[in-house]
């Protein structure tokens, strides 16, 4: 039997059925080229085939007389292809050309508007007014113009033109590094974008100087809120320029700026110039010289002050004496008062003055926490904050939502129990002196219906008061609103932990670090998915704990 010759892929050769691949291409055996594709277009080097050649080729195929190219023709073809460089070869055009877009029927069309060409079909048909409304909604939901407008401006020309509209740049947060934090940035943006600016955050701009502040003051007449926290190169000149040029200014944050920016003369000029218009002022993390004069000016001129922040402030004396009743009479609308990590105490006043004061009736947040910087171990920084100070400060504050008394060594359970607040939501009493007294269960019972966040960490309560307090928290699952609970360093046991997880269905974060009464695997911070897993495995943990015992 004669041996049949096989092809390159192992399949037998068949002249009538051409192979998929062959080194020597013969006319009539080529596989179908790109000319049959719907989006194929002949290049400059492709020569169209006339009808005569097509008829001749079909005639040769039908007659079965297939002719091969001569050796010389193949050499000429290969040499001509080598002469074509990669730059000369024309690429296949894409389905969407840069200067055209597909319409609904699949045909390529080009759109022009004012000499400009848009790449998207809907960008031409979308009115700029509608796109502006959409951008306004996005900026409102994101809480500011950045980073959305910076990204949207890179989409197309229409988006860039709309994103440059000043009405979109009402609220700008530039504290997260969206742009370069230098004066030149503000010098460019203020006349081009910030003509309608109302609120801007520049906290953390360490290289900002009075030049950048001057650009804001000259080009932003509607500015009412500015955050300069951490801008250490801004001094009293920059503050004076803002106060003089911005007639709508009512909120100013000067935390961690410079001693000159919050000097007695600078703050006095600010307070007297803005007057009753001032609503929020922050001067924390600074060394405040002559703060008595500054506070007296605030009391005399700022009757509509809503927020005052002097946290982490250093005074020239060891303790700052605060006239609580006079402060309440001068700023009766105060809602937020932050005096954390400040050495202060209440000044001595007569009983008649105490009775005449109406207190802070609108107070919602009071922070008097003392950190390690002020009171390391002996809690020396919090000795001025006692039950009397707390009662004088919150005598009529029935709407109080947040109370921070961490590391306050002179506050007792009795002082907290008699506060007029009825719907306290956030309570922080970590490392507080109330752990030395009975009555924590009364505090938990008073606000168990409204507490959303509770911090009892690093307290060692006497007797069974802590166990009773935890039972109070978990006693009403239907009305419980507790979401964050910090019990690190406490003596909570496993049975009470189980009741808390069952009695607080909305709990999202639970800190159990360094809780010696719990078995292994539970002494950590639980949040999100780990907390859900703890709820599911609480029965298994209980069985293992019982077996060990």
């Amino acid at each position: 039997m004669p041996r049949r010759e096989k092809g390159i892929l192992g399949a037998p050769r068949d002249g009538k059925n051409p192979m998929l691949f062959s080194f020597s291409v013969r006319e009539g055996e080529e596989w179908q080229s790109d000319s049959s594709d719907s989006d194929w277009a002949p290049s400059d080097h492709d020569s169209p085939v006339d009808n005569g050649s097509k008829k001749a080729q079909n005639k040769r195929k039908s007659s079965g007389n297939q002719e091969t190219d001569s050796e010389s023709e193949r050499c000429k073809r290969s040499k001509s292809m080598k002469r074509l460089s990669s730059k000369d070869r024309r690429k296949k055009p894409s389905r969407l050309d840069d200067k055209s877009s597909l319409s609904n029927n699949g045909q390529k069309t080009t759109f022009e508007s004012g000499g400009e060409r848009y790449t998207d079909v809907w960008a031409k048909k979308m009115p700029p007014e509608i796109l502006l409304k959409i951008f306004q909604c996005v900026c409102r939901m994101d809480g500011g113009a950045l980073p959305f407008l910076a990204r949207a401006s890179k989409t197309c020309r229409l988006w860039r033109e709309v994103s440059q509209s000043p009405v979109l740049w009402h609220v700008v947060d530039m504290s997260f590094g969206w742009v370069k934090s230098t004066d030149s940035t503000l010098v460019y943006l203020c006349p081009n974008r910030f003509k309608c600016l109302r609120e801007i955050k520049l906290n953390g701009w360490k290289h900002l100087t009075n030049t950048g502040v001057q650009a804001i003051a000259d080009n932003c007449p509607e500015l009412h809120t500015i955050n300069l926290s951490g801008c250490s190169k801004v001094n009293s000149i920059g503050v004076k320029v803002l106060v003089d040029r911005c007639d709508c200014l009512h909120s100013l944050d000067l935390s961690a700026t410079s001693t000159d920016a919050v000097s007695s003369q600078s703050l006095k000029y600010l307070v007297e110039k803005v007057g009753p218009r001032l609503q929020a002022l922050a001067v924390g993390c600074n060394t405040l010289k002559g703060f008595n004069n500054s506070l007296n000016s605030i009391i005399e001129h700022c009757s509509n002050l809503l927020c005052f922040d002097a946290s982490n402030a250093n005074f020239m004396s060891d303790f700052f004496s605060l006239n609580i009743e006079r402060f309440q009479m001068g700023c009766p609308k105060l809602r937020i008062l932050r005096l954390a990590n400040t050495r202060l105490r209440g000044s001595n006043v007569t009983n008649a003055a105490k009775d005449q004061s109406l207190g802070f009736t609108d107070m919602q947040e009071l922070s008097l926490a003392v950190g390690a910087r002020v009171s390391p171990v002996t809690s020396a920084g919090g000795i001025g904050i006692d039950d009397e100070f707390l009662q004088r400060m919150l005598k009529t504050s029935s709407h109080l939502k947040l109370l921070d008394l961490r590391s306050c060594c002179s506050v007792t359970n009795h002082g907290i129990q008699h506060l007029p607040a009825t719907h306290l939501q956030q309570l922080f009493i970590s490392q507080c002196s109330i752990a030395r007294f009975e009555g924590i269960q009364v505090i938990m019972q008073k606000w168990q219906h409204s507490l959303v966040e509770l911090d009892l960490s690093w307290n060692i309560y006497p007797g069974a008061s802590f166990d009773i307090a935890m039972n109070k928290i978990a006693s009403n699952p239907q009305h419980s609103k507790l979401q964050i609970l910090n019990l690190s360093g406490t003596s909570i046991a496993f049975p009470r932990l189980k009741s808390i997880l069952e009695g607080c269905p909305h709990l999202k974060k639970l800190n159990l670090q360094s809780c010696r009464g719990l078995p292994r695997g539970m002494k950590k911070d639980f949040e999100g998915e780990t907390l859900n897993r703890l709820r599911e495995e609480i029965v298994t943990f209980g069985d293992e704990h019982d077996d060990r015992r």
Side-chain angles (χ1 to χ4, degrees), residues 74 273 327 367:
R74 287 199 299 269
K273 186 72 175 181
F327 193 17
S367 178

Side-chain angles (χ1 to χ4, degrees), residues 174 179-189 202 204-209 211-213 215-216:
M174 305 176 71
V179 295
K180 192 175 181 180
S181 56
T182 58
D183 292 335
S184 57
T185 301
L186 294 176
V187 171
Y188 168 75
L189 289 177
L202 300 173
W205 282 40
K206 298 180 180 180
H207 303 290
L208 179 67
T209 64
T211 303
V213 177
I216 296 176

Side-chain angles (χ1 to χ4, degrees), residues 180-435:
K180 192 175 181 180
S181 56
T182 58
D183 292 335
S184 57
T185 301
L186 294 176
V187 171
Y188 168 75
L189 289 177
C190 287
N192 296 294
R193 303 285 193 279
F194 293 169
K195 294 181 180 179
C196 300
L197 185 67
R198 299 176 183 175
E199 180 179 348
I200 186 171
K201 294 182 180 179
L202 300 173
N203 43 310
W205 282 40
K206 298 180 180 180
H207 303 290
L208 179 67
T209 64
N210 295 333
T211 303
V213 177
Q214 179 78 40
I216 296 176
D218 293 340
N219 298 278
C220 308
E222 300 180 12
L223 182 70
H224 60 71
T225 302
I226 184 170
N227 189 333
L228 298 175
S229 176
C231 302
S232 56
K233 293 185 178 181
V234 177
N235 53 28
S236 58
I237 298 177
V239 176
K240 185 177 183 300
V241 168
L242 282 174
V243 173
D244 291 339
R245 301 290 181 87
C246 302
D247 296 333
C248 300
L249 187 67
H250 62 67
S251 299
L252 185 61
D253 191 340
L254 298 175
S255 302
T257 49
S258 64
T259 305
D260 183 61
V262 294
S263 62
S264 174
Q265 296 79 8
S266 177
L267 291 180
K268 184 177 181 181
Y269 183 83
L270 165 66
V271 169
E272 292 178 354
K273 186 72 175 181
V274 179
R277 194 173 71 244
L278 188 63
Q279 297 181 6
L281 178 63
V283 294
C285 300
N286 287 307
T287 300
L288 302 176
K289 298 180 180 181
F291 187 66
N292 273 322
N293 297 331
S294 302
L295 186 60
N296 291 333
S297 300
I298 292 174
I299 293 174
E300 293 176 3
H301 299 91
C302 303
S303 57
N304 294 318
L305 188 65
L306 302 178
C307 176
F308 182 70
D309 188 352
S311 301
N312 302 293
N314 294 322
F315 307 105
M316 298 304 296
S317 58
D318 291 338
F319 283 87
F320 175 74
S321 181
L322 178 63
N323 192 327
I324 300 175
E325 285 72 24
R326 189 165 180 266
F327 193 17
Q328 291 171 341
M329 294 180 65
C331 306
K333 300 180 180 180
L334 194 66
R335 298 179 182 178
I336 300 175
L337 180 59
R338 297 171 181 152
L339 299 173
N341 286 343
T342 55
R343 291 186 174 98
L344 56 87
R345 57 169 53 123
S347 60
N348 296 325
V349 295
T350 61
N351 292 331
K354 294 180 182 179
D355 296 336
Q356 292 177 0
S357 175
L358 299 178
F360 294 117
T361 56
D362 297 331
M363 181 72 72
Q364 297 181 4
E365 178 181 339
L366 176 62
S367 178
L368 301 172
V370 179
R373 184 180 66 86
V374 177
S375 60
V377 179
T378 59
S379 298
I383 58 176
I385 303 173
D386 52 10
D387 291 345
E388 182 184 3
F389 183 94
L390 204 61
Q391 290 295 329
R392 290 169 61 185
M393 187 71 71
L394 302 174
K395 59 182 298 184
T396 59
S397 303
S398 59
H399 302 290
L400 189 67
K401 304 297 181 183
L402 184 148
L403 180 61
D404 192 351
L405 298 174
R406 284 173 288 186
S407 300
C408 292
C409 62
S410 302
V411 177
T412 65
N413 287 323
H414 180 78
I416 299 178
Q417 292 172 16
H418 292 82
L419 293 178
T422 57
H423 290 81
L424 193 65
Q425 296 180 358
Q426 295 173 283
L427 178 61
F428 305 90
I429 48 179
S430 173
Q431 293 181 311
C432 193
S433 60
I434 61 173

Side-chain angles (χ1 to χ4, degrees), residues 146-162:
L146 294 177
F148 169 72
L149 292 182
R151 296 169 179 172
S153 62
K154 299 179 180 180
T155 304
C156 63
R157 293 187 182 93
L158 176 63
W159 282 39
R160 184 174 70 248
E161 294 172 1
V162 174

